[in-house]
Amino acid sequence: MEFLLLGPLSVRLNAREVYVSAPRQRVVLATLLLNVNHVVSVDRIAGYVWDGAPPPSAAATIRTYVMRLRQVLGEQASARIITRAPGYLIALGEDESDLGRFTAHRNRAAAHADVGNMEDSCAELAKALAGWRDEPLVNVPSQTLRDVEGRYLQELRLQTTELRFDAELALGRHAQLIPELWRLVRENPLREALVGKLMLALFRSGRQSESLSLYQRTRELLVEQLGAEPSAALREVQRRILAADDRPDGRTLARQSVRQTAPTTTHTAPPAPRTWHSALRLKPAQLPAAPYALTAREEPLAELRRLLTATGLPPGSVGTAVITGRGGTGKSALALHAAHSLRGSFPDGQLYAALGGREHPLPPGEVLNRFLAALGVPRPDIPADENEREVLYRSLTAGSRLLVLLDDADSTTQIRPLVPGSDGSRLLVTSRRRLADLEGARTVALPPLDERESLELLGRLVGPARVDAEPQAARTVVAMCAGLPLALRIAAARQLDRPHWSLGDLAQRLTDAPQLLDALRIGDLDVRPSLDAGHTELPRRAANGVDPAAVFTALGAAGAAHTSRGRVAAMLNCSEESAEDALDTLVEAHLLHPPIAGRYRLDALLQAYARERAQEHEAFRHQSVFQTSGTPAPRAV
């Protein structure tokens, strides 16, 4: 039997292909195969099957899916799926899956590299890569699984390809590598490791001018897209080529390759399992591309760089910066720009995790699974116990200079297990909350853009000529977007999607829209979820008896653009102190602007959202009256 993951998921039994037709059964099977010989909890399987939002009946439904999966696979293969608390495992030998064979070839390549046998190491790496057929998990209908495991597998494939290039270069096969390297660099123009290898291959083939030209184009691309200079490693490649001192013989190259990839011994760590005590330890490079150019964020960007490169920290502490602010202000974009610009300061790699916020919080144990795999620990060797995972993570990161970016954190509890184990590393966090209880963290608050900054961003998105041609319409658009970069991106996308619209047309549609938040939604970009998240976090009843949600609803019903504690006290017949407590709770949830001279402000988006909540409350109350009286409620027309 043979289970195939390095391409579309499939199963071969005695040369006969078995097709698992039920989509969710394929998700279950893929999850088990990605964790061969390890128990996967029912909760974790359910998170992948329902993309992070399993129903209450998930456990029972998963049992049904496993039963049907066993029936599809037949008696011989189904016996490999074993029920073991708190979930299931699939028991396979390394030759019974393409991923197992891939790992075995990598391990043998590492063993050869350890003794300087680059010829056989290169051959084993080529065999490992030959097992890939296509994009992994392409027929597995779980976006979460593809985002998590698919990205891991693709990164593993690319890093293995880079290791093969290193071995080939060590053997003097630079000329043969150039076509393949060109193709991969075109597909991954910002992957500096590939660019450096192509530069070396070109130089060693007598094409120095092309090599230096490639460096220059890459530098321009990095500066343009990420605002970052090339890493120290790529600059060193350029320096050596300029000095024409990079023509060592094959034996020297082989020794260098072994040294450069040998396991580090600069920190104390538990004995490494045999399967990953090898020369093929991975250096993570997980940062997604920064989504768009920053506007008017020079000061917070400079502050982040200062915090993340500061020296003289107390022994044993990890420098931590937290970007906080309202949803849609560009916290993630700022974090990614800062992280990319500092890659050269963290030569041991960058780890990244999207933590899901309050709506879909990702458990730290799941993130540790991903981080340990990214650091080179084979999945079968990752401890099942979460505390053991945390200890192993700290041991592996001790003595390293890593940057860990945790995006959209919900709480400090979610973050603490993910703090790396070295004062040479840094932690960067984004969150709607201030996370005041995160030890040693420095906070960078990100406010909405002012009118000038908003107009500058709008000009970048739709073209400055349009903004200059219709200044009043442009000011109306940015006012309706309330200084949120996300809202401005959506408005600009709507404008660009309809080239026959003027800015005046866009402004009129935003101001006349019966539901402004519906008008600020396009594709997967939407302003409303961040507002919903803030509203969901509100306590249902404050200690003083005033419900902050009720205050927000009342403001929406009144159509208020400003309010004060005295006005709210009069509206709700409560004390001014109680009203102020409720208003401050709304400020913390980013549903009100902080008071200036005692006046709290609702911008255009907050007014629209408060109005929606008031309308929903009135419709619910109206429905409840009819249900209580026994009279059928009128149907909506």
Side-chain angles (χ1 to χ4, degrees):
M1 74 186 70
E2 184 179 29
F3 294 85
L4 302 176
L5 267 172
L6 304 182
L9 176 68
S10 62
V11 184
R12 292 176 186 162
L13 301 177
N14 300 323
R16 176 177 61 90
E17 186 159 333
V18 175
Y19 181 61
V20 180
S21 59
R24 287 179 173 171
Q25 291 174 33
R26 291 201 298 276
V27 178
V28 174
L29 179 59
T31 303
L32 295 177
L33 289 173
L34 286 160
N35 298 273
V36 167
N37 301 323
H38 267 62
V39 177
V40 186
S41 71
V42 170
D43 288 345
R44 186 176 170 195
I45 296 172
Y48 287 140
V49 169
W50 285 282
D51 274 320
S57 60
T61 306
I62 292 296
R63 285 196 296 272
T64 301
Y65 290 160
V66 172
M67 178 192 70
R68 292 175 180 169
L69 181 60
R70 285 169 169 157
Q71 292 171 348
V72 170
L73 294 178
E75 183 177 354
Q76 182 187 8
S78 65
R80 301 303 185 94
I81 301 177
I82 300 168
T83 303
R84 186 172 297 170
Y88 302 91
L89 70 78
I90 188 166
L92 296 177
E94 69 178 22
D95 290 332
E96 293 181 305
S97 73
D98 54 0
L99 183 56
R101 290 192 299 274
F102 172 83
T103 303
H105 285 305
R106 276 182 56 107
N107 289 337
R108 287 195 286 271
H112 289 307
D114 281 338
V115 297
N117 183 356
M118 303 308 293
E119 186 75 50
D120 287 344
S121 179
C122 184
E124 288 291 344
L125 290 169
K127 290 176 184 176
L129 293 165
W132 288 79
R133 295 166 291 133
D134 200 348
E135 181 183 349
L137 308 179
V138 68
N139 62 339
V140 177
S142 167
Q143 189 61 48
T144 304
L145 193 66
R146 289 197 299 271
D147 287 347
V148 175
E149 305 290 357
R151 179 181 291 181
Y152 163 76
L153 291 173
Q154 293 284 29
E155 179 67 19
L156 193 62
R157 180 185 191 178
L158 194 50
Q159 289 194 359
T160 304
T161 302
E162 291 173 347
L163 289 167
R164 180 177 66 81
F165 289 151
D166 286 337
E168 299 268 18
L169 287 169
L171 293 167
R173 300 171 182 168
H174 33 267
Q176 299 95 309
L177 290 178
I178 290 174
E180 186 178 0
L181 275 167
W182 267 124
R183 177 178 61 80
L184 285 173
V185 166
R186 289 190 181 101
E187 293 173 358
N188 305 273
L190 298 179
R191 195 172 181 97
E192 293 177 71
L194 284 173
V195 172
K197 296 179 203 312
L198 178 54
M199 288 174 63
L200 287 175
L202 288 168
F203 173 66
R204 292 172 185 169
S205 300
R207 297 159 68 175
Q208 182 181 23
S209 60
E210 289 181 64
S211 177
L212 295 173
S213 176
L214 172 63
Y215 174 85
Q216 189 59 37
R217 290 199 301 274
T218 302
R219 179 186 177 278
E220 291 169 357
L221 195 61
L222 287 165
V223 171
E224 177 185 346
Q225 295 199 10
L226 305 176
E229 289 288 338
S231 66
L234 192 60
R235 293 198 303 271
E236 175 63 13
V237 173
Q238 183 214 25
R239 186 198 66 76
R240 294 174 66 190
I241 291 173
L242 286 169
D245 69 349
D246 198 61
R247 291 181 182 272
D249 62 33
R251 288 172 298 176
T252 303
L253 282 166
R255 289 196 298 272
Q256 287 177 344
S257 179
V258 174
R259 279 203 307 274
Q260 289 166 357
T261 58
T264 178
T265 57
T266 59
H267 59 83
T268 302
R274 178 185 60 81
T275 52
W276 49 284
H277 178 69
S278 74
L280 300 183
R281 293 283 292 279
L282 303 183
K283 179 192 293 186
Q286 297 187 328
L287 296 177
Y292 56 92
L294 287 179
T295 297
R297 297 302 192 196
E298 292 82 4
E299 287 188 17
L301 183 59
E303 176 68 4
L304 282 174
R305 287 173 172 160
R306 185 186 67 78
L307 292 174
L308 293 172
T309 56
T311 57
L313 298 176
S317 64
V318 173
T320 302
V322 176
I323 307 173
T324 186
R326 177 177 169 186
T329 52
K331 299 183 294 296
S332 299
L334 176 63
L336 286 169
H337 276 277
H340 277 291
S341 71
L342 294 173
R343 283 173 306 155
S345 300
F346 300 97
D348 294 312
Q350 306 86 41
L351 294 168
Y352 169 86
L355 297 186
R358 170 58 64 92
E359 301 78 22
H360 305 292
L362 192 64
E366 176 65 27
V367 181
L368 285 170
N369 270 340
R370 303 180 191 180
F371 282 3
L372 289 172
L375 291 167
V377 182
R379 290 185 181 273
D381 292 329
I382 295 175
D385 180 78
E386 186 170 328
N387 289 330
E388 292 180 13
R389 268 180 258 162
E390 187 176 340
V391 169
L392 179 58
Y393 170 66
R394 286 199 298 268
S395 297
L396 285 176
T397 55
S400 298
R401 293 174 62 192
L402 281 163
L403 177 62
V404 180
L405 172 52
L406 304 177
D407 192 24
D408 200 11
D410 177 54
S411 67
T412 299
T413 303
Q414 197 181 21
I415 296 168
R416 283 197 182 104
L418 306 174
V419 178
S422 170
D423 52 12
S425 295
R426 295 292 183 267
L427 180 64
L428 178 57
V429 181
T430 73
S431 177
R432 286 193 292 264
R433 300 169 174 269
R434 295 192 69 86
L435 303 177
D437 55 339
L438 184 59
E439 295 83 356
R442 303 294 298 273
T443 300
V444 175
L446 202 60
L449 303 174
D450 62 24
E451 183 182 75
R452 179 190 62 78
E453 295 164 344
S454 297
L455 288 170
E456 181 183 346
L457 177 56
L458 183 64
R460 284 197 181 191
L461 294 170
V462 302
R466 285 188 173 186
V467 172
D468 293 342
E470 299 180 80
Q472 186 55 50
R475 283 194 289 272
T476 300
V477 170
V478 301
M480 300 307 292
C481 292
L484 289 191
L486 174 61
L488 287 163
R489 287 180 64 204
I490 295 170
R494 292 197 65 191
Q495 168 82 48
L496 296 172
D497 195 43
R498 296 165 176 82
H500 57 282
W501 280 11
S502 65
L503 272 183
D505 293 329
L506 176 62
Q508 182 175 354
R509 281 165 172 78
L510 293 179
T511 52
D512 294 348
Q515 301 288 344
L516 173 61
L517 301 182
D518 286 341
L520 288 173
R521 181 176 59 197
I522 186 169
D524 61 349
L525 299 178
D526 192 351
V527 170
R528 186 181 280 107
S530 62
L531 296 167
D532 285 336
H535 195 272
T536 301
E537 292 174 8
L538 292 174
R540 292 302 91 190
R541 175 94 28 205
N544 54 30
V546 176
D547 184 352
V551 173
F552 191 67
T553 299
L555 294 174
H562 296 87
T563 194
S564 65
R565 71 176 199 165
R567 182 180 179 188
V568 170
M571 289 169 62
L572 299 183
N573 192 27
C574 65
S575 69
E576 290 195 4
E577 289 75 15
S578 297
E580 185 173 23
D581 286 346
L583 289 168
D584 286 343
T585 300
L586 292 172
V587 170
E588 291 171 9
H590 303 291
L591 294 174
L592 272 182
H593 287 275
I596 298 176
R599 287 167 61 83
Y600 297 80
R601 182 173 68 88
L602 293 89
D603 57 45
L605 295 180
L606 293 175
Q607 290 179 60
Y609 187 65
R611 198 160 48 243
E612 285 187 10
R613 303 304 303 190
Q615 291 167 353
E616 291 174 10
H617 175 76
E618 180 62 24
F620 176 77
R621 189 186 66 79
H622 187 58
Q623 183 75 19
S624 298
V625 168
F626 278 99
Q627 289 175 349
T628 303
S629 65
T631 305
R635 297 180 63 186
V637 178

